[in-house]
Amino acid sequence: MKQIALEDVVKTYRRYAPFYDRLFGAVLEPGRRALADVVCKSSPASILEVGVGTGLMLSRYPADSSIVGVDVSSEMLEVAGKRIKSGTTREIHLIKMDAETMNFYDAHFDCVTVPYVLSVTPNPDKLIAEIRRVCRKGGLIFILNHFSGSHFWWFLERAVRSIADKIGFRSDFGFDEQILKHDWEVLSVKNVNFLGLSKLVVIRNV
């Protein structure tokens, strides 16, 4: 699997920030809608969104949930902050933070959402360990991500495999290696986005 450094992530999303919504908004929107639906059905008291980016998910979470969003990109968080000010009166906390080393207490959140982030982070195992630490036992973790192996997308995956550090995400990202190897409870897996580009995985933290 192609390695990505934290500096690569910060640099790439600094470039993406001004036009991220135009570039990735519509194409990944079905996955966001599906994620919002399952989170709202679970009605968590508290939500942590890892990789909150420009804040495209924030207004869709349950109205009575407390929400914290973290991201390593100051530029993406700046866009998210403007979106909150112009679009909602609810209290949402945005924090610049490396999700691989979060400074939240253990079991701090009822629910953690990870939209389009797992294949972006430099060390996916570290991120998953942190997500599980800050999510209470029995709480829900929602991972929305592209996983390699699709018959339709294999050519594009191969084409961009070697430039993960330039485009900001890995295309060679196996579901078994990143999801099934962990000792958590996978409740459901759903293909989302055009021709199954992504999967929405619902997990119970055990």
Side-chain angles (χ1 to χ4, degrees):
M1 184 174 66
K2 175 73 174 181
Q3 294 301 306
I4 300 177
L6 180 61
E7 295 77 15
D8 295 329
V9 176
V10 172
K11 185 186 303 182
T12 298
Y13 285 87
R14 180 181 300 128
R15 295 196 306 266
Y16 279 154
F19 55 90
Y20 180 90
D21 293 357
R22 295 193 296 275
L23 187 61
F24 296 109
V27 69
L28 299 179
E29 175 62 15
R32 292 189 195 93
R33 286 200 302 267
L35 173 59
D37 286 345
V38 292
V39 174
C40 288
K41 286 176 183 176
S42 69
S43 299
S46 57
I47 300 171
L48 170 67
E49 183 176 333
V50 172
V52 68
T54 62
L56 288 169
M57 283 294 304
L58 292 174
S59 66
R60 311 177 193 209
Y61 293 130
D64 55 352
S65 298
S66 65
I67 301 169
V68 175
V70 301
D71 205 289
V72 296
S73 171
S74 299
E75 291 79 11
M76 298 285 276
L77 287 171
E78 183 178 354
V79 177
K82 291 177 181 177
R83 172 171 270 116
I84 291 172
K85 288 179 182 177
S86 65
T88 182
T89 57
R90 59 189 302 184
E91 187 174 358
I92 299 171
H93 298 283
L94 300 178
I95 305 171
K96 183 180 179 182
M97 186 183 295
D98 181 358
E100 292 183 8
T101 55
M102 291 187 281
N103 54 0
F104 297 120
Y105 295 119
D106 293 357
H108 193 72
F109 298 96
D110 293 310
C111 161
V112 180
T113 65
V114 192
Y116 305 118
V117 172
L118 193 58
S119 57
V120 172
T121 193
N123 301 286
D125 285 345
K126 282 188 176 182
L127 178 62
I128 286 174
E130 278 293 270
I131 289 168
R132 298 186 71 181
R133 181 184 67 79
V134 302
C135 182
R136 67 171 175 81
K137 296 299 182 184
L140 294 176
I141 297 169
F142 300 90
I143 294 176
L144 176 59
N145 211 87
H146 171 74
F147 295 95
S148 53
S150 165
H151 293 299
F152 183 82
W153 294 106
W154 73 269
F155 181 78
L156 182 59
E157 290 169 2
R158 282 191 71 177
V160 302
R161 181 182 302 166
S162 63
I163 57 171
D165 54 338
K166 303 295 189 300
I167 61 176
F169 60 88
R170 301 181 185 89
S171 61
D172 57 335
F173 202 72
F175 183 80
D176 290 1
E177 294 85 357
Q178 303 300 331
I179 299 297
L180 296 184
K181 75 173 183 180
H182 298 288
D183 62 340
W184 49 20
E185 182 183 0
V186 177
L187 300 178
S188 66
V189 181
K190 179 181 180 181
N191 288 331
V192 293
N193 294 325
F194 182 63
L195 294 175
L197 175 65
S198 312
K199 293 182 186 297
L200 174 58
V201 189
V202 180
I203 295 162
R204 189 178 306 282
N205 196 29
V206 297

